Amino acid sequence: MVYFNKIAGWMGFPHLSVSLGLTYSFTIAYKLKDRPDEKWTAWFIRFKDKNNKAEWGAATVLYDAAPTLIKHLGIDPKRASFIPALSSKETKADPSRSIPWITKECAKTVGAQYSDSILSKNVHQKIHTIYSAEGRSAELDKAKYQSAKIDADHVFVFDDFITRGDTLSRIALAVLAANPKCKVYGIALAKAESVAYCPNPENDHVPARWDTLWGLGEREHDAKFKKD
């Protein structure tokens, strides 16, 4: 079981199953593989399915949660860079995809740097379709992540979900290869977990205002795109 600390409302993971190059990783809540009806898990599933309302809900939570975290960590936002992780089919980040645009807007909210051209990699198979840890690692070997130089002291890599941490670790190592003095952090909506592996996991640590903000984001989406 991978343990977390409660940090400014976030789940803070000092270590993941794979944590190479990562100073710390943060998620909002658990995404429970064997409890799909759990509230936050259901929201995350809709986000993964590219439901636009869920994307707005997630974004609204992160626009509140990201500034809170940066302030708690005592980091100068001008010396922080927010960058999006890449999907399996990308060689560079598509700025129209949900994670890049959420990352960009979080950077604006915080006053941090943003770039969707820092990372590059090779196309590879979707990791979530591979069920063995060895198979996932072998597939990620094909990605061969590379990073450009970044004029920052702290680099926050945004992704949708963390499972073992292998993808984030490879990104962190690529960033550090080009920027050895940086600290690299993982940021994600959820830590994917199984009840069978992590007995009695709950999402009761999530601040009540974040529940409210997700719903607010979905309603704002409806109001903006409501058909007459």
Side-chain angles (χ1 to χ4, degrees), residues 33-34 47 58 67-68 80 100 144 155 157 171 174 207 211-212 223:
K33 299 176 184 177
D34 32 14
F47 179 93
T68 301
K144 299 187 183 301
V155 178
V157 183
I171 293 172
D211 287 67
T212 302

mmCIF file of all heavy atoms in Angstrom, residues 33-34 47 58 67-68 80 100 144 155 157 171 174 207 211-212 223:
data_model
loop_
_atom_site.group_PDB
_atom_site.id
_atom_site.type_symbol
_atom_site.label_atom_id
_atom_site.label_comp_id
_atom_site.label_asym_id
_atom_site.label_seq_id
_atom_site.Cartn_x
_atom_site.Cartn_y
_atom_site.Cartn_z
ATOM 1 N N LYS A 33 -10.736 1.378 -8.673
ATOM 2 C CA LYS A 33 -11.030 0.511 -9.812
ATOM 3 C C LYS A 33 -12.209 -0.422 -9.548
ATOM 4 O O LYS A 33 -12.922 -0.798 -10.487
ATOM 5 C CB LYS A 33 -9.790 -0.320 -10.158
ATOM 6 C CG LYS A 33 -8.580 0.510 -10.547
ATOM 7 C CD LYS A 33 -7.360 -0.375 -10.771
ATOM 8 C CE LYS A 33 -6.131 0.455 -11.059
ATOM 9 N NZ LYS A 33 -4.912 -0.377 -11.212
ATOM 10 N N ASP A 34 -12.386 -0.817 -8.284
ATOM 11 C CA ASP A 34 -13.453 -1.761 -7.975
ATOM 12 C C ASP A 34 -14.601 -1.120 -7.193
ATOM 13 O O ASP A 34 -15.396 -1.804 -6.553
ATOM 14 C CB ASP A 34 -12.914 -2.979 -7.225
ATOM 15 C CG ASP A 34 -11.733 -2.656 -6.316
ATOM 16 O OD1 ASP A 34 -11.505 -1.455 -6.068
ATOM 17 O OD2 ASP A 34 -11.050 -3.591 -5.863
ATOM 18 N N PHE A 47 -14.500 11.978 -16.575
ATOM 19 C CA PHE A 47 -13.397 12.794 -17.099
ATOM 20 C C PHE A 47 -12.576 11.977 -18.096
ATOM 21 O O PHE A 47 -12.247 12.460 -19.183
ATOM 22 C CB PHE A 47 -12.511 13.276 -15.952
ATOM 23 C CG PHE A 47 -11.342 14.110 -16.401
ATOM 24 C CD1 PHE A 47 -11.448 15.492 -16.454
ATOM 25 C CD2 PHE A 47 -10.137 13.522 -16.777
ATOM 26 C CE1 PHE A 47 -10.367 16.275 -16.885
ATOM 27 C CE2 PHE A 47 -9.060 14.288 -17.206
ATOM 28 C CZ PHE A 47 -9.179 15.666 -17.259
ATOM 29 N N ALA A 58 -13.548 19.167 -13.133
ATOM 30 C CA ALA A 58 -12.174 18.917 -12.703
ATOM 31 C C ALA A 58 -11.347 20.192 -12.744
ATOM 32 O O ALA A 58 -10.578 20.492 -11.814
ATOM 33 C CB ALA A 58 -11.544 17.850 -13.591
ATOM 34 N N PRO A 67 -3.370 26.804 -6.610
ATOM 35 C CA PRO A 67 -2.822 27.940 -5.853
ATOM 36 C C PRO A 67 -2.654 27.642 -4.369
ATOM 37 O O PRO A 67 -1.675 28.083 -3.755
ATOM 38 C CB PRO A 67 -3.859 29.052 -6.076
ATOM 39 C CG PRO A 67 -4.584 28.670 -7.315
ATOM 40 C CD PRO A 67 -4.608 27.172 -7.318
ATOM 41 N N THR A 68 -3.603 26.896 -3.799
ATOM 42 C CA THR A 68 -3.506 26.522 -2.389
ATOM 43 C C THR A 68 -2.247 25.714 -2.122
ATOM 44 O O THR A 68 -1.540 25.931 -1.130
ATOM 45 C CB THR A 68 -4.748 25.713 -1.970
ATOM 46 O OG1 THR A 68 -5.928 26.491 -2.191
ATOM 47 C CG2 THR A 68 -4.682 25.323 -0.503
ATOM 48 N N ALA A 80 8.417 28.641 -10.877
ATOM 49 C CA ALA A 80 7.788 27.335 -11.072
ATOM 50 C C ALA A 80 7.303 27.221 -12.513
ATOM 51 O O ALA A 80 6.826 28.197 -13.099
ATOM 52 C CB ALA A 80 6.620 27.149 -10.113
ATOM 53 N N PRO A 100 -3.521 19.556 -21.067
ATOM 54 C CA PRO A 100 -2.751 20.768 -21.372
ATOM 55 C C PRO A 100 -3.495 22.063 -21.099
ATOM 56 O O PRO A 100 -2.919 23.010 -20.541
ATOM 57 C CB PRO A 100 -2.415 20.605 -22.865
ATOM 58 C CG PRO A 100 -2.364 19.121 -23.056
ATOM 59 C CD PRO A 100 -3.464 18.587 -22.182
ATOM 60 N N LYS A 144 10.877 6.966 -24.672
ATOM 61 C CA LYS A 144 12.138 7.728 -24.727
ATOM 62 C C LYS A 144 11.890 9.232 -24.550
ATOM 63 O O LYS A 144 12.155 10.051 -25.428
ATOM 64 C CB LYS A 144 12.881 7.460 -26.033
ATOM 65 C CG LYS A 144 13.253 5.993 -26.211
ATOM 66 C CD LYS A 144 14.124 5.778 -27.420
ATOM 67 C CE LYS A 144 14.419 4.306 -27.630
ATOM 68 N NZ LYS A 144 15.093 3.661 -26.494
ATOM 69 N N VAL A 155 9.418 22.188 -11.147
ATOM 70 C CA VAL A 155 8.648 21.782 -12.323
ATOM 71 C C VAL A 155 7.502 20.876 -11.864
ATOM 72 O O VAL A 155 7.736 19.858 -11.202
ATOM 73 C CB VAL A 155 9.526 21.042 -13.343
ATOM 74 C CG1 VAL A 155 8.683 20.584 -14.533
ATOM 75 C CG2 VAL A 155 10.671 21.948 -13.817
ATOM 76 N N VAL A 157 4.512 18.526 -13.117
ATOM 77 C CA VAL A 157 4.024 17.770 -14.272
ATOM 78 C C VAL A 157 2.582 17.354 -14.013
ATOM 79 O O VAL A 157 2.301 16.615 -13.071
ATOM 80 C CB VAL A 157 4.889 16.519 -14.529
ATOM 81 C CG1 VAL A 157 4.397 15.792 -15.772
ATOM 82 C CG2 VAL A 157 6.363 16.901 -14.665
ATOM 83 N N ILE A 171 9.190 10.961 -16.954
ATOM 84 C CA ILE A 171 9.167 12.388 -17.279
ATOM 85 C C ILE A 171 10.119 13.143 -16.362
ATOM 86 O O ILE A 171 10.901 13.993 -16.812
ATOM 87 C CB ILE A 171 7.735 12.942 -17.164
ATOM 88 C CG1 ILE A 171 6.841 12.321 -18.240
ATOM 89 C CG2 ILE A 171 7.745 14.468 -17.286
ATOM 90 C CD1 ILE A 171 5.374 12.665 -18.090
ATOM 91 N N ALA A 174 13.680 12.694 -17.369
ATOM 92 C CA ALA A 174 13.989 13.454 -18.586
ATOM 93 C C ALA A 174 14.179 14.933 -18.263
ATOM 94 O O ALA A 174 15.103 15.584 -18.758
ATOM 95 C CB ALA A 174 12.870 13.267 -19.613
ATOM 96 N N PRO A 207 -11.579 18.231 0.775
ATOM 97 C CA PRO A 207 -12.302 19.374 1.342
ATOM 98 C C PRO A 207 -13.689 19.519 0.729
ATOM 99 O O PRO A 207 -13.875 19.331 -0.479
ATOM 100 C CB PRO A 207 -11.414 20.570 0.976
ATOM 101 C CG PRO A 207 -10.042 19.996 0.821
ATOM 102 C CD PRO A 207 -10.259 18.624 0.227
ATOM 103 N N ASP A 211 -15.810 19.417 -3.459
ATOM 104 C CA ASP A 211 -17.051 18.790 -3.922
ATOM 105 C C ASP A 211 -17.950 19.844 -4.566
ATOM 106 O O ASP A 211 -18.497 19.648 -5.652
ATOM 107 C CB ASP A 211 -17.816 18.168 -2.741
ATOM 108 C CG ASP A 211 -17.177 16.901 -2.209
ATOM 109 O OD1 ASP A 211 -16.072 16.983 -1.641
ATOM 110 O OD2 ASP A 211 -17.790 15.846 -2.358
ATOM 111 N N THR A 212 -18.087 20.948 -3.868
ATOM 112 C CA THR A 212 -18.938 22.032 -4.353
ATOM 113 C C THR A 212 -18.425 22.593 -5.670
ATOM 114 O O THR A 212 -19.203 22.859 -6.596
ATOM 115 C CB THR A 212 -19.015 23.155 -3.299
ATOM 116 O OG1 THR A 212 -19.521 22.618 -2.076
ATOM 117 C CG2 THR A 212 -19.908 24.284 -3.770
ATOM 118 N N ALA A 223 -24.515 26.155 -18.325
ATOM 119 C CA ALA A 223 -24.986 27.519 -18.565
ATOM 120 C C ALA A 223 -24.351 28.110 -19.814
ATOM 121 O O ALA A 223 -25.018 28.813 -20.585
ATOM 122 C CB ALA A 223 -24.688 28.394 -17.359
#
